[in-house]
C-alpha cells in the first residue's frame, strides 16, 4: 500500500531547505522506507509493545538523587552569544 | 440564540523532586541561570536520560488522588518541534499510553456540584525558560530572547480534563481544587506565581443543547486563578461576538494579556502542530505493578474532598467544613486534637476559621509557627461553657494565649477576665445601676421592655465586662419587677 507523503511538509518540519531535485530524490528514498514500515505494521501483535524496547527491559529507573551539574562557563563556552549567564537567541514569538 | 461554553483545562505541575526527570541536576527555583544543567538537560549529543523513580511515584499519587486508573504499562514518546527553549529538538513526553487515565474531580460552584472528567495525566519534562527582552519585555516586540536551562528537564505532570467545564467560574473552581490536591500530596510547591503550576484553557462555544464541539481556542498565560476566570470569560464573550456577527472562528492559540484584559492571537514562527510522536528509544517501558500502585495508594494523605466530607459527617455545615478543610494543616491539626479532647466540633471550627485565622493574617504569622495547641483551644471552649469567662472575654483570652501568656485559665486570671458569677456581687452592681438610672426604671414600669437591654449594658460596663450576662439579665428583671 503506497503512502503519499508531502515531502515539502516533512522538510519544513525538519527545517531543511531543499531544492526541487533534492525533494524528488528524498521522496523516492522515503517511499522505500515507508513501504518497509508498512510491512512491519502488517505483523501480528501490538506494535506499541513490541517496538517499545528491543531488550525487553522495563523500569530502568534511578533514585531521586542529585549529581553535580556542569560549570556554567563551560556550558556557555560554545554559545554564539551570551548575557549575564544566559544564552541569547533571536526572538521566536509573534503575536497579532 | 443561547450559547453554551465548552471548556477543558490542561494543568502542568512541576514536581518537587530533588533532582530532574532524566538527570541528577538539582530542581531548585530561583537559582542563578544555567547553573543546574548537564549534558542530558542541555540536549548535548550522546547524553542518555534515566528516569527518576520518585517522579513516577508522584504522578501515580496525583492520578490516584484524581480517581484515575494507573496503566499497567506505560511508555515515553518524543514530541518533536523546534523551539529555542527545547534544546534536543524534542520533548520527552507521553502519547498513547500515559501513566494515568480516566479520572474525575468533583467541583462545587454556588452550591452545585458537578463531576469534571479527567482524560489523562502524563509524565513529561519541562522546557527551559525564555525571557523576551526589548521594549519592556513585551512578547510580540521582543528583540532577543534569553534562555535559562535550569528548568529544562524538571519533572512535569500534565493533567488534561475532559471538555466538561461549562463556565469560567467552574474553570476556576476546578483549577483551585486541583491545585489543593497537588499541594496536599506534597507533589509540587504548586505556586502559581513561580510557575510551578500552570493552567491553559481550551474554550469553544456551541448552541445550547447542541451535541458537537465548536472551534477550539487554546488560551494561555494566566498566572492567577482570577486571571484564569477572566480570560475564559473574555474568550467566551469574544467567540460569541464573532459568531453572532457572522464571522468564523479560527482554531488557534491565544495569549491572555492581563493588563489589557484581552486575548491576542499568538503565532509561533513557522509553527506546526505536527509533532511526529514516536516511542523514545532511549527509555525502557514502565510497568506499574498492582503492588507498586497499592504502595503509593496506601501512602496518600487525607485529600481535601475526603476531609470536607468527614467534617460534614462530624456535624459541620457545608461552608464551615469547606473553609476548615482548605485551612493550613497546622490549623486542622488543632481541630482534630481539640475535638479528641471532647470539645464541640462547631465551636472549635468557628474559633479556628474565625479569630485564629484572622490573628494569623493580622500578625502575618506563618501557620507553622502558630502558638496554639488543640488542648488549649479545648480548654478555651470549656471555660466559656463553665461560665468562667464570657464569650466576648474569651476573645481576649485567646489573644493572650496566642501571645504566649499561658493556658486559657492562666490568661483569664492574669488578664482579670474571670466572669463574676457571684450573685451578691452582681446584685450590688445592679442596685447601683438602677439607682443611677431612675428614668429607665420608670420607663420599664410603664411597659417599655426594651430598656432592659440598655440596663444590662450599663451593668456589664460597670463590671468591666466581667459580669455573667445571663445572671445580670435575670437579676435585673427580678429587681425591676419587684
Ligand atoms: Zn541535567
Amino acid at each position: 500500500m503506497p503512502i503519499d507523503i508531502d515531502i515539502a511538509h516533512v522538510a519544513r518540519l525538519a527545517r531543511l531547505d531543499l531544492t526541487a531535485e533534492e525533494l524528488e530524490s528524498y521522496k523516492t528514498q522515503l517511499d522505500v522506507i515507508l513501504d518497509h514500515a508498512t510491512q512491519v505494521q502488517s505483523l501480528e501483535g501490538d506494535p506499541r509493545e513490541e517496538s517499545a524496547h528491543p531488550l525487553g527491559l522495563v523500569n530502568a529507573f534511578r533514585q531521586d538523587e542529585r549529581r553535580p551539574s556542569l560549570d556554567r562557563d563551560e556550558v556557555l563556552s560554545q554559545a554564539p552569544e551570551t548575557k549575564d549567564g544566559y544564552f541569547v537567541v533571536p526572538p521566536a514569538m509573534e503575536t497579532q | 440564540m443561547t450559547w453554551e461554553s465548552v471548556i477543558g483545562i490542561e494543568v502542568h505541575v512541576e514536581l518537587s523532586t530533588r533532582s530532574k526527570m532524566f538527570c541528577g541536576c538539582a530542581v531548585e527555583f530561583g537559582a542563578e541561570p544555567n547553573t543546574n544543567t548537564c549534558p542530558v538537560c542541555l540536549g548535548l549529543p550522546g547524553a542518555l536520560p534515566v528516569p527518576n523513580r520518585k517522579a513516577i511515584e508522584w504522578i501515580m499519587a496525583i492520578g490516584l488522588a484524581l480517581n484515575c486508573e494507573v496503566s499497567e504499562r506505560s511508555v515515553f514518546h518524543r514530541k518533536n518541534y523546534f523551539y529555542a527553549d527545547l534544546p534536543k529538538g524534542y520533548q520527552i513526553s507521553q502519547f498513547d499510553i500515559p501513566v494515568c487515565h480516566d479520572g474525575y474531580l468533583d467541583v462545587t460552584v454556588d452550591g452545585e456540584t458537578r463531576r469534571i472528567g479527567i482524560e489523562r495525566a502524563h509524565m513529561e519534562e519541562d522546557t527551559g525558560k525564555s525571557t523576551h527582552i526589548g521594549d519592556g519585555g513585551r512578547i510580540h516586540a521582543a528583540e532577543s530572547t534569553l534562555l535559562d536551562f535550569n528548568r529544562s528537564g524538571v519533572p512535569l505532570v500534565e493533567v488534561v480534563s475532559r471538555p466538561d467545564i461549562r463556565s469560567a467560574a467552574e474553570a476556576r473552581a476546578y483549577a483551585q481544587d486541583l491545585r489543593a490536591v497537588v499541594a496536599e500530596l506534597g507533589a509540587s510547591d504548586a505556586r502559581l506565581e513561580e510557575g510551578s503550576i500552570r493552567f491553559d484553557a481550551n474554550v469553544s462555544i456551541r448552541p445550547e443543547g447542541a451535541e458537537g464541539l465548536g472551534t477550539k481556542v487554546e488560551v494561555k498565560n494566566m498566572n492567577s486563578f482570577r486571571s484564569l476566570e477572566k480570560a475564559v470569560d473574555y474568550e467566551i464573550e469574544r467567540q460569541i461576538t464573532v459568531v453572532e456577527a457572522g464571522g468564523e472562528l479560527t482554531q488557534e492559540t491565544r495569549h491572555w494579556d492581563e493588563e489589557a484584559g484581552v486575548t491576542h492571537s499568538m503565532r509561533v514562527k513557522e509553527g506546526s502542530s505536527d509533532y511526529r510522536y514516536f516511542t523514545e528509544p532511549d527509555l525502557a517501558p514502565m510497568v506499574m505493578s498492582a503492588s507498586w500502585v497499592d504502595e503509593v495508594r496506601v501512602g496518600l494523605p487525607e485529600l481535601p474532598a475526603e476531609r470536607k466530607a468527614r467534617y460534614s459527617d462530624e456535624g459541620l455545615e457545608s461552608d464551615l467544613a469547606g473553609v476548615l478543610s482548605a485551612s493550613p494543616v497546622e490549623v486542622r491539626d488543632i481541630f482534630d486534637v481539640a475535638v479528641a479532647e471532647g470539645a464541640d466540633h462547631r465551636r472549635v471550627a468557628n474559633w479556628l476559621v474565625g479569630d485564629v485565622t484572622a490573628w494569623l493574617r493580622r500578625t502575618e504569622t506563618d501557620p507553622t509557627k502558630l502558638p496554639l495547641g488543640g488542648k488549649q483551644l479545648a480548654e478555651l471552649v470549656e471555660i466559656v461553657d463553665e461560665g468562667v469567662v464570657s464569650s466576648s472575654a474569651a476573645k481576649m483570652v485567646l489573644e493572650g494565649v496566642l501571645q504566649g501568656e499561658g493556658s486559657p485559665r492562666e490568661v483569664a486570671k492574669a488578664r482579670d477576665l474571670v466572669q463574676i458569677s457571684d450573685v451578691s456581687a452582681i446584685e450590688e452592681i445592679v442596685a447601683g445601676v438602677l439607682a443611677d438610672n431612675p428614668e429607665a426604671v420608670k420607663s420599664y414600669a410603664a411597659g417599655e421592655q426594651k430598656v432592659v437591654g440598655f440596663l444590662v449594658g450599663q451593668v456589664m460596663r460597670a463590671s468591666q465586662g466581667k459580669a455573667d450576662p445571663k445572671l445580670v439579665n435575670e437579676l435585673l428583671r427580678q429587681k425591676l419587677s419587684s
Side-chain angles (χ1 to χ4, degrees):
Chain A
M1 185 183 64
I3 301 166
D4 192 31
I5 47 169
D6 180 353
I7 190 74
H9 177 62
V10 175
R12 208 160 40 242
L13 289 173
R15 300 294 189 278
L16 294 173
D17 193 8
L18 301 180
T19 63
E21 293 78 43
E22 283 169 327
L23 284 175
E24 200 42 53
S25 146
Y26 287 134
K27 181 168 165 39
T28 315
Q29 292 175 20
L30 260 181
D31 279 341
V32 176
I33 295 168
L34 283 174
D35 185 48
H36 180 69
T38 313
Q39 288 177 36
V40 173
Q41 271 181 343
S42 70
L43 294 175
E44 291 193 7
D46 184 345
R48 294 184 306 189
E49 287 201 8
E50 309 302 330
S51 67
H53 203 273
L55 297 179
L57 180 73
V58 297
N59 292 358
F61 296 120
R62 44 176 268 278
Q63 294 303 313
D64 182 22
E65 281 159 10
R66 289 181 180 175
R67 292 180 62 181
S69 295
L70 291 175
D71 179 71
R72 185 166 74 183
D73 290 339
E74 198 185 345
V75 167
L76 298 175
S77 63
Q78 304 295 308
E81 198 185 343
T82 65
K83 182 182 165 50
D84 305 332
Y86 292 92
F87 291 90
V88 178
V89 295
M93 302 296 287
E94 262 185 348
T95 56
Q96 298 181 329
Chain B
M1 186 180 303
T2 321
W3 297 94
E4 176 178 62
S5 43
V6 177
I7 303 154
I9 305 273
E10 288 170 17
V11 185
H12 286 92
V13 183
E14 276 183 5
L15 299 182
S16 52
T17 48
R18 288 176 46 73
S19 65
K20 292 187 181 180
M21 187 64 222
F22 298 113
C23 63
C25 290
V27 172
E28 188 185 12
F29 182 82
E32 282 293 302
N34 293 306
T35 49
N36 292 328
T37 61
C38 75
V40 173
C41 53
L42 287 169
L44 302 188
L48 284 174
V50 187
N52 185 334
R53 189 175 206 274
K54 185 68 197 168
I56 301 305
E57 292 182 343
W58 277 133
I59 189 178
M60 286 161 70
I62 291 172
L64 291 169
L66 298 172
N67 309 291
C68 289
E69 310 266 335
V70 176
S71 305
E72 277 174 49
R73 188 185 167 89
S74 182
V75 294
F76 285 108
H77 276 74
R78 290 188 183 180
K79 178 180 179 178
N80 299 279
Y81 64 96
F82 285 107
Y83 198 70
D85 61 18
L86 188 72
K88 297 192 295 298
Y90 59 86
Q91 178 189 32
I92 302 179
S93 182
Q94 297 198 281
F95 183 51
D96 54 354
I97 329 179
V99 176
C100 305
H101 58 93
D102 293 301
Y104 61 83
L105 186 60
D106 289 333
V107 165
T108 304
V109 174
D110 293 335
E112 195 202 342
T113 300
R114 290 189 62 243
R115 179 157 292 183
I116 309 302
I118 287 165
E119 186 185 312
R120 58 191 276 149
H122 70 249
M123 191 75 242
E124 59 187 29
E125 55 177 342
D126 211 342
T127 62
K129 198 167 166 42
S130 333
T131 311
H132 306 279
I133 55 168
D135 196 29
R138 280 164 67 201
I139 193 166
H140 56 278
E143 281 153 17
S144 60
T145 297
L146 303 182
L147 294 171
D148 171 13
F149 290 103
N150 285 346
R151 204 180 68 180
S152 170
V154 167
L156 198 63
V157 170
E158 179 173 346
V159 180
V160 183
S161 86
R162 296 196 181 281
D164 292 347
I165 298 166
R166 291 288 171 270
S167 69
E170 208 167 77
R172 177 187 185 150
Y174 170 84
Q176 280 176 321
D177 287 3
L178 201 144
R179 187 206 161 271
V181 167
V182 170
E184 188 75 50
L185 293 171
S188 169
D189 294 341
R191 293 206 180 103
L192 278 77
E193 63 280 10
E194 290 178 4
S196 53
I197 186 162
R198 313 193 280 270
F199 303 92
D200 301 329
N202 289 310
V203 180
S204 65
I205 54 164
R206 65 182 176 197
E208 179 112 58
E211 278 293 313
L213 293 173
T215 304
K216 185 174 82 177
V217 171
E218 183 171 16
V219 189
K220 286 179 177 285
N221 194 43
M222 290 81 76
N223 52 17
S224 69
F225 293 118
R226 206 170 135 261
S227 62
L228 170 68
E229 184 171 359
K230 275 163 63 184
V232 170
D233 244 340
Y234 173 85
E235 185 55 27
I236 293 168
E237 288 309 313
R238 187 191 70 84
Q239 292 185 13
I240 292 173
T241 309
V242 169
V243 172
E244 292 195 336
E248 288 247 349
L249 293 166
T250 323
Q251 180 156 347
E252 60 180 349
T253 299
R254 295 180 73 88
H255 191 93
W256 170 248
D257 181 337
E258 179 75 39
E259 256 173 65
V262 298
T263 60
H264 294 292
S265 180
M266 183 167 90
R267 292 269 163 82
V268 178
K269 256 185 202 171
E270 301 165 67
S272 165
S273 56
D274 190 347
Y275 293 128
R276 295 151 294 146
Y277 282 97
F278 61 87
T279 48
E280 165 57 275
D282 288 341
L283 292 170
M286 295 174 281
V287 172
M288 272 69 68
S289 66
S291 62
W292 194 15
V293 176
D294 280 344
E295 217 173 279
V296 174
R297 195 192 307 270
V298 166
L300 293 182
E302 183 181 39
L303 297 167
E306 293 166 355
R307 189 161 54 231
K308 189 178 170 207
R310 173 167 66 86
Y311 289 152
S312 296
D313 289 347
E314 287 172 355
L316 298 188
E317 300 91 331
S318 175
D319 282 357
L320 193 54
V323 177
L324 181 62
S325 177
S327 299
V329 61
E330 293 79 12
V331 171
R332 291 171 353 232
D333 283 349
I334 295 173
F335 175 82
D336 290 337
V337 173
V339 164
E341 289 287 307
D344 176 66
H345 294 78
R346 276 186 54 197
R347 291 174 56 198
V348 170
N350 274 319
W351 276 114
L352 289 171
V353 307
D355 291 78
V356 173
T357 300
W359 183 85
L360 282 172
R361 241 179 250 147
R362 194 172 68 240
T363 58
E364 291 172 17
T365 305
D366 192 273
T368 56
K369 300 196 177 86
L370 180 56
L372 179 72
K375 285 191 178 174
Q376 289 175 315
L377 187 55
E379 186 178 308
L380 182 67
V381 172
E382 189 178 82
I383 60 174
V384 176
D385 284 345
E386 288 172 356
V388 176
V389 293
S390 67
S391 337
S392 53
K395 286 174 185 287
M396 286 175 271
V397 173
L398 177 71
E399 188 78 32
V401 173
L402 290 170
Q403 282 174 26
E405 293 168 20
S407 74
R409 281 183 201 279
E410 287 163 359
V411 173
K413 227 175 262 169
R415 288 197 170 196
D416 199 17
L417 295 166
V418 175
Q419 195 159 246
I420 305 169
S421 311
D422 174 30
V423 176
S424 59
I426 296 178
E427 271 177 340
E428 205 173 297
I429 305 172
V430 166
V433 166
L434 293 182
D436 290 345
N437 296 280
E439 291 301 316
V441 176
K442 258 186 224 156
S443 310
Y444 183 86
E448 266 201 65
Q449 294 277 330
K450 62 180 182 209
V451 296
V452 176
F454 163 76
L455 291 168
V456 169
Q458 294 302 306
V459 175
M460 292 307 293
R461 224 167 85 180
S463 74
Q464 289 156 322
K466 287 186 288 177
D468 178 348
K470 249 168 71 189
L471 211 51
V472 170
N473 214 302
E474 231 169 79
L475 294 173
L476 254 175
R477 284 178 192 275
Q478 262 177 33
K479 273 273 172 352
L480 287 166
S481 311
S482 61

